[in-house]
Amino acid sequence: MFSSQYFKLKKDISHIKKLKWNEIKFRDKNYLFTCANFEKKKINVKILVNCENKATKSFYKYSNNSNLYTNVQEIENNHKNVLSKKMENTNENINMNKRYISDECNKGDLFRKTEKDKNNELDRYNVENMNDGIKSKKSNSDDIIDLTLSDVWSKKTLIVEYKNNIIEILLNRKEKLNAINKDMINGLLNMVKSLSNDDRCNLIVIRSINQNCFCSGSDVKDIVQNKDQGINHLKQLYKYINFISKINKNILCIWNGYAMGGGLGISMYTQYRIINTNVIFSMPENKIGFFPDVGSSYFLKKYFSRNIALHLGLTSLRLNEIDLINFKVCTNYIKNLDQFLNELYNIKKEDPNKFNEEFIKILNKYPPKVNVNAKPVLTEELISNIDKYYTSANNLEELINNLKKNEDNDNFCKQLLLDINANCYFSCQLWFSYFIYNYEKSMEEVLDNDFKMTQYFLYHTNTFEKGVTEILIKKNKNFQWIKDHENNPVQLEETIEDILMNKNLLSIKDEFI
């Protein structure tokens, strides 16, 4: 029972003395709250009244909200309409099925048979139709791979063809010697990713639409003129290299003409590298004030010795088909490209294992032997001289000192000094130390270091931009690196480790698969 003994009240509330608190009218509770002399129950009464005030206001606010009520009604009506339509559609479908079954029964005189016979025959009819649908769908899916996205990805820089479980990707920048731009590398990366788990594709063939050039490298003009896009372009290139090195899919690359720089990046890590005609293999980045990237520190070490790899990167030496065969860089040699492709397309085996058996048989018919009277660039004499002067050198300065000692008596020393002076001295200096630094690194580590070093060349030095501008954009025939070095000497003052540990250089290691 509620008692008023705790309050000195001005108003007569004798009518509520026998009531419980929850039985008291709201206005009387408010009066109690406004009384001056609360004692023990003051706080409790205040809390109770406040809570009830809030509840009351909330209730009236809700009940007076006509819009809310209208919306609720509309929602309910909509639900009813949708449900009604669904029921109508269901009934209509049922009626259609009934009419269809009735027609079929009349055609086959099924109505004279027992109910069990009718059901059995209808079941057989449905199963046959379902199987026909599955066969039709399977036939269509086996014959067609949707390649519409390839145009979106590559913007016509690639031509993609599909036939007999073989995808053929043709580099299509003939006027630019198939220089890799951002559209081409985006297309390549997205396509190989999408095909990696596609069971309909048993082989990917990458080749050029240009019979005289596979790929001359990355489009360095675009990279230098828009550095932010250039960084993203090279990032995609390094991610592509990492991906194809691990993909569980046959990838075959056909070299003809120039295979240089970035062109080696998109092909050196495929399982099969096939020579067609007049291949020129080179890493010429030092000529334009850059450095041999695309994981060349890794694959040059893999196929060549330490000293030869250093020499190739330092001098931009061009190797021919004989060299690539001697050092087992290529896996096969073909003279007639059309004949070889026709043999591949005639395999016509959907099962991957059976396809691979026939595929290997065809490859074995084309061993890496060149039927021409050509001589290698890397002769025994040249290799001997390379080993003689490079073995004891741990940096470019030590190599130059070794060469200068015999410059007057040795043509090799004289020529190598000329080659170094013809290239960017800073790039040569960095390449020598960079290759030594990466010598024991994994492919992923080398690619990550390449990405960091690329940022260093684009944002922390000016040699790359100057080389591309003077040599490729302005086509300045009077530009010489040796004179530029004399006028504006640039020295490698930091160690390679210090450069790569710079916190401002981003890593892509976490983006590798």
Side-chain angles (χ1 to χ4, degrees):
M1 301 290 291
F2 177 77
S3 175
S4 61
Q5 63 182 351
Y6 298 107
F7 309 102
K8 294 181 180 179
L9 304 174
K10 296 180 180 179
K11 179 180 177 180
D12 181 16
I13 55 168
S14 57
H15 61 285
I16 64 171
K17 286 184 178 181
K18 296 181 180 181
L19 298 176
K20 294 180 180 179
W21 176 258
N22 57 0
E23 294 174 343
I24 301 174
K25 292 181 180 180
F26 188 77
R27 63 176 179 271
D28 291 330
K29 288 180 180 179
N30 272 331
Y31 175 73
L32 292 174
F33 178 68
T34 58
C35 291
N37 298 317
F38 287 148
E39 293 181 12
K40 292 182 181 180
K41 291 285 185 178
K42 180 177 180 180
I43 296 176
N44 292 340
V45 172
K46 183 177 180 180
I47 292 172
L48 286 168
V49 172
N50 281 341
C51 289
E52 289 195 11
N53 273 329
K54 288 181 181 179
T56 305
K57 289 178 182 178
S58 176
F59 170 79
Y60 282 110
K61 182 179 180 181
Y62 179 81
S63 62
N64 291 330
N65 192 340
S66 58
N67 291 332
L68 179 62
Y69 176 77
T70 303
N71 291 337
V72 171
Q73 287 295 103
E74 288 177 358
I75 291 170
E76 289 180 355
N77 290 335
N78 287 337
H79 279 299
K80 289 179 181 179
N81 291 335
V82 171
L83 182 61
S84 176
K85 287 180 180 179
K86 284 185 177 180
M87 292 178 67
E88 289 175 5
N89 291 336
T90 303
N91 291 332
E92 186 176 350
N93 289 335
I94 291 172
N95 291 331
M96 288 177 65
N97 289 335
K98 285 181 178 179
R99 288 195 298 273
Y100 178 77
I101 292 172
S102 177
D103 291 342
E104 292 298 324
C105 289
N106 289 333
K107 288 178 184 177
D109 209 18
L110 290 176
F111 62 95
R112 294 180 182 177
K113 300 180 181 179
T114 63
E115 192 68 28
K116 185 176 181 180
D117 291 337
K118 291 179 185 179
N119 291 335
N120 289 339
E121 190 150 347
L122 284 171
D123 287 342
R124 284 196 300 274
Y125 180 85
N126 290 332
V127 169
E128 288 173 2
N129 282 341
M130 183 175 69
N131 289 338
D132 289 342
I134 292 172
K135 288 177 183 178
S136 174
K137 184 177 180 181
K138 186 176 186 300
S139 175
N140 291 335
S141 66
D142 285 347
D143 292 339
I144 298 172
I145 285 183
D146 185 6
L147 300 176
T148 54
L149 283 178
S150 65
D151 286 343
V152 176
W153 288 328
S154 67
K155 296 182 180 178
K156 306 296 183 181
T157 60
L158 301 171
I159 296 174
V160 185
E161 297 176 356
Y162 173 68
K163 182 181 178 183
N164 296 343
N165 301 96
I166 296 174
I167 286 284
E168 196 173 358
I169 303 174
L170 287 82
L171 310 184
N172 187 36
R173 295 191 78 203
K174 188 174 181 179
E175 71 287 353
K176 298 288 186 180
L177 298 179
N178 289 331
I180 304 167
N181 64 1
K182 61 182 179 63
D183 297 325
M184 183 183 285
I185 192 58
N186 285 340
L188 281 169
L189 178 58
N190 284 301
M191 270 183 264
V192 294
K193 278 187 174 181
S194 65
L195 294 171
S196 61
N197 295 317
D198 196 321
D199 294 335
R200 295 167 295 177
C201 175
N202 290 330
L203 172 65
I204 301 172
V205 177
I206 301 175
R207 66 184 183 92
S208 170
I209 198 170
N210 185 350
Q211 294 297 317
N212 299 316
C213 176
F214 171 71
C215 178
S216 61
S218 291
D219 195 334
V220 290
K221 292 181 185 178
D222 285 351
I223 293 172
V224 166
Q225 290 174 339
N226 192 327
K227 294 181 181 180
D228 291 341
Q229 284 189 9
I231 283 293
N232 288 328
H233 161 194
L234 292 171
K235 179 180 179 180
Q236 294 293 86
L237 176 58
Y238 301 148
K239 287 169 66 176
Y240 165 87
I241 292 170
N242 178 70
F243 188 85
I244 62 169
S245 69
K246 298 177 180 179
I247 187 174
N248 187 24
K249 183 80 69 177
N250 292 323
I251 303 184
L252 180 152
C253 213
I254 300 175
W255 285 341
N256 51 285
Y258 293 114
M260 303 166 69
L264 296 179
I266 64 173
S267 56
M268 279 298 295
Y269 299 89
T270 59
Q271 294 93 322
Y272 307 99
R273 295 168 301 281
I274 295 179
I275 293 175
N276 181 212
T277 53
N278 302 320
V279 176
I280 298 172
F281 177 106
S282 178
M283 291 297 297
E285 285 76 10
N286 285 338
K287 287 185 176 295
I288 55 172
F290 196 45
F291 76 105
D293 63 329
V294 295
S296 59
S297 297
Y298 181 82
F299 70 72
L300 289 178
K301 177 200 73 173
K302 179 179 179 180
Y303 293 101
F304 304 93
S305 67
R306 167 195 181 271
N307 297 334
I308 294 175
L310 278 168
H311 186 74
L312 294 177
L314 196 64
T315 62
S316 307
L317 185 67
R318 295 184 174 188
L319 304 184
N320 63 20
E321 300 163 6
I322 308 297
D323 297 306
L324 301 181
I325 290 172
N326 289 343
F327 286 89
K328 299 180 180 179
V329 177
C330 67
T331 57
N332 302 84
Y333 174 82
I334 56 173
K335 192 172 183 180
N336 190 323
L337 177 60
D338 292 334
Q339 178 183 331
F340 175 72
L341 292 174
N342 286 334
E343 289 186 53
L344 293 180
Y345 281 126
N346 286 329
I347 294 177
K348 296 181 180 179
K349 301 288 185 183
E350 294 183 7
D351 181 78
N353 294 326
K354 292 180 180 179
F355 181 94
N356 288 339
E357 289 178 7
E358 297 299 319
F359 175 56
I360 296 301
K361 287 180 182 178
I362 293 173
L363 290 180
N364 289 337
K365 292 166 58 178
Y366 298 93
K369 292 182 180 180
V370 181
N371 298 319
V372 294
N373 296 321
K375 294 182 179 180
V377 174
L378 290 170
T379 61
E380 291 183 6
E381 181 183 359
L382 178 57
I383 294 172
S384 176
N385 283 324
I386 289 172
D387 288 336
K388 179 180 178 180
Y389 291 100
Y390 278 86
T391 300
S392 61
N394 294 313
N395 54 54
L396 183 63
E397 288 72 19
E398 291 181 6
L399 174 64
I400 291 175
N401 289 334
N402 292 341
L403 297 173
K404 285 184 175 180
K405 291 176 183 177
N406 296 299
E407 182 179 3
D408 296 332
N409 303 321
D410 193 328
N411 289 331
F412 172 80
C413 296
K414 187 182 296 184
Q415 184 60 49
L416 182 50
L417 287 170
L418 290 174
D419 291 339
I420 292 171
N421 289 330
N423 290 343
C424 173
Y425 185 83
F426 177 79
S427 295
C428 292
Q429 193 179 23
L430 183 137
W431 160 250
F432 203 114
S433 299
Y434 183 69
F435 177 82
I436 300 296
Y437 178 84
N438 282 323
Y439 196 74
E440 299 296 334
K441 298 286 191 294
S442 67
M443 186 196 67
E444 291 87 350
E445 290 174 312
V446 171
L447 289 173
D448 189 49
N449 289 340
D450 281 356
F451 183 60
K452 291 178 180 178
M453 195 59 74
T454 295
Q455 297 167 66
Y456 177 74
F457 268 89
L458 279 174
Y459 296 108
H460 298 274
T461 70
N462 68 343
T463 59
F464 186 27
E465 185 173 0
K466 180 178 287 186
V468 171
T469 302
E470 295 293 337
I471 297 171
L472 300 179
I473 297 176
K474 293 182 179 179
K475 300 186 184 300
N476 183 359
K477 295 181 179 180
N478 296 321
F479 177 77
Q480 293 181 351
W481 280 113
I482 187 171
K483 291 182 179 179
D484 182 75
H485 180 66
E486 290 173 355
N487 297 328
N488 303 291
V490 180
Q491 294 288 337
L492 183 63
E493 297 177 353
E494 300 176 275
T495 65
I496 298 299
E497 187 173 7
D498 288 339
I499 293 172
L500 297 176
M501 293 301 291
N502 188 330
K503 294 181 180 179
N504 294 322
L505 302 180
L506 302 177
S507 169
I508 55 170
K509 189 180 293 185
D510 293 339
E511 298 187 42
F512 291 152
I513 59 170

